[in-house]
Each structure stands twice: as structure tokens, then as C-alpha cells.
Amino acid sequence: MIEVVLNDRLGKKVRVKCNDDDTIGDLKKLVAAQTGTRADKIRIQKWYTVYKDHITLKDYEIHDDRSH
């Protein structure tokens, strides 16, 4: 279980707990449940890289920064 912190660029941060084998599409659904925004309107990106829905968080090397 990892915790991903997302910024909506309007000053709000959302913390979502998910698994590293979840896809970006799954992450969008979890964010949509917390924020009330429709999942198809959410775009997850880091700098200029827009993440694709069918690729897992592990493949994008998204992980917790906490050391175990």
C-alpha cells in the first residue's frame, strides 16, 4: 500500500492510498471519489509527462518516499 499526493494546481492537495500495481485509471477513480470531479476530466501529469490510463504506478516508478 502506498500513499500518493496529488496537487490540483489550485492550492488543494489530495492524498490517496492505493497499490503500486494499480493503473493510472484506477488512481483517477480514487481521486474522483475524494474530490467530486469526474474521473474522465482528471489528467495526471508530472512536469510535461501526461500519464496514460492503462499503465501501472509501478511502471511509472511512482512509490512512497518513506523508507521501510
Side-chain angles (χ1 to χ4, degrees):
M1 193 65 108
I2 63 172
E3 184 176 54
V4 180
V5 179
L6 299 148
N7 182 1
D8 70 354
R9 299 182 48 119
L10 295 174
K12 258 201 307 192
K13 285 189 178 180
V14 179
R15 293 180 181 268
V16 180
K17 291 190 185 263
C18 55
N19 295 317
D20 62 353
D21 59 348
D22 287 344
T23 63
I24 296 295
D26 297 334
L27 178 62
K28 285 183 179 182
K29 290 175 187 172
L30 293 170
V31 172
Q34 282 193 10
T35 62
T37 305
R38 290 186 0 219
D40 61 337
K41 294 292 183 184
I42 296 173
R43 180 177 70 189
I44 297 178
Q45 72 180 49
K46 185 174 183 180
W47 289 98
Y48 296 108
T49 304
V50 178
Y51 293 150
K52 305 291 183 190
D53 286 352
H54 64 282
I55 299 178
T56 63
L57 301 177
K58 189 184 328 181
D59 290 338
Y60 277 124
E61 297 179 359
I62 298 173
H63 50 79
D64 269 344
D65 287 336
R66 294 178 287 172
S67 57
H68 292 65

